[in-house]
Amino acid sequence: GPFAVVPRCTIVAHGGISLVIPELTPALFNALFLIATSFLAWKKTRIIEIIGTFLTPWLLGGVVAIIIAGILFGPNIENTLLTQAEAFQVGLKQGYQTMDLLAAFFFSATTVAFIAQKLTSHEDKKNLERLGVTSCLIGAFLLTTVYIGFVALGAKFSTVLQGVDPEKLLVVIAQQSLGEFSLPIAAIIICLACLTTAAILVSLFSDFLHKDILQEKISRHIALVITV
């Protein structure tokens, strides 16, 4: 949480926004980003609803638009000196650095807890395992589809992306495929992706700090502030 993924999410989000607003300093952006993260994580019962209802549709729609435009209008894939194994290692170690796979584990746990909370009758609760597995499979399918698209974009735009910082890769791809007008949209999409990840992890780590480490000696809200 606060020791790796959340700071990286903040850096990646700033990397996208800085291409649109270069005068926005990291310190100011970090403060604004973490305030927004705290706002999302403040009410544990609402975080999944807010992310699922408002943020995810825009995020998913924007990502799909970038992938489709990049595949249709991007340059042809050029030959590389890397072997398949070497290319896979680069993707695994560096990639787009959006930390989605790590976040998916925690998203899954939070989603199942949210479903359990919404089930009222005893009969409904018997379906928790089926509903939980179904929702996780839907999430896995969407994440897999998106990253197949991202891999294709990385191959198509490999020559353009030489020397580009990892946190700016997707924004540069969007700029190349959709044009300059898409730059703010792409930057916001990357920022939203990082914000949703950071909010879930801050919420979960706050619960861990509140319940397991400090044995509820402080409130969850204070634990959240300490985490941020």
Side-chain angles (χ1 to χ4, degrees):
F3 300 105
V5 184
V6 175
R8 189 64 207 170
C9 285
T10 311
I11 292 169
V12 172
H14 179 259
I17 295 294
S18 65
L19 290 175
V20 182
I21 314 174
E23 60 272 13
L24 185 61
T25 63
L28 177 58
F29 176 83
N30 292 352
L32 295 173
F33 184 87
L34 291 172
I35 287 171
T37 301
S38 302
F39 174 78
L40 284 175
W42 195 257
K43 283 196 173 183
K44 182 182 176 182
T45 55
R46 295 297 307 278
I47 186 169
I48 291 292
E49 289 184 43
I50 293 172
I51 290 175
T53 305
F54 300 107
L55 298 183
T56 299
W58 289 100
L59 171 60
L60 199 57
V63 166
V64 169
I66 291 173
I67 291 172
I68 292 174
I71 291 174
L72 290 178
F73 306 117
N76 294 326
I77 297 176
E78 296 188 10
N79 292 330
T80 174
L81 297 177
L82 293 176
T83 65
Q84 288 182 338
E86 289 170 339
F88 179 78
Q89 287 176 8
V90 171
L92 186 64
K93 292 179 180 177
Q94 178 174 308
Y96 293 98
Q97 299 200 2
T98 48
M99 300 286 184
D100 291 317
L101 184 59
L102 282 174
F105 292 113
F106 301 105
F107 264 111
S108 300
T110 307
T111 301
V112 171
F114 175 77
I115 293 172
Q117 180 189 12
K118 293 296 180 182
L119 298 178
T120 53
S121 70
H122 180 69
E123 288 300 316
D124 286 340
K125 290 187 183 297
K126 288 182 179 179
N127 296 323
L128 176 60
E129 183 176 342
R130 179 179 58 81
L131 290 170
V133 170
T134 302
S135 61
C136 288
L137 286 174
I138 292 171
F141 170 76
L142 291 173
L143 196 60
T144 301
T145 303
V146 165
Y147 268 89
I148 289 172
F150 281 176
V151 169
L153 293 181
K156 272 183 166 288
F157 291 92
S158 59
T159 54
V160 179
L161 299 177
Q162 296 297 321
V164 175
D165 294 333
E167 61 267 22
K168 298 177 181 178
L169 292 175
L170 280 177
V171 181
V172 171
I173 287 173
Q175 182 184 13
Q176 292 290 323
S177 57
L178 296 174
E180 288 292 336
F181 77 93
S182 71
L183 196 56
I185 299 172
I188 291 171
I189 289 168
I190 302 303
C191 194
L192 282 178
C194 295
L195 183 62
T196 53
T197 300
I200 288 289
L201 293 180
V202 163
S203 177
L204 288 173
F205 189 86
S206 299
D207 290 340
F208 175 64
L209 183 63
H210 167 59
K211 293 179 181 178
D212 298 299
I213 297 180
L214 299 178
Q215 301 294 313
E216 299 187 6
K217 293 176 182 177
I218 61 172
S219 69
R220 178 183 178 274
H221 288 155
I222 293 176
L224 191 149
V225 171
I226 292 171
T227 300
V228 170

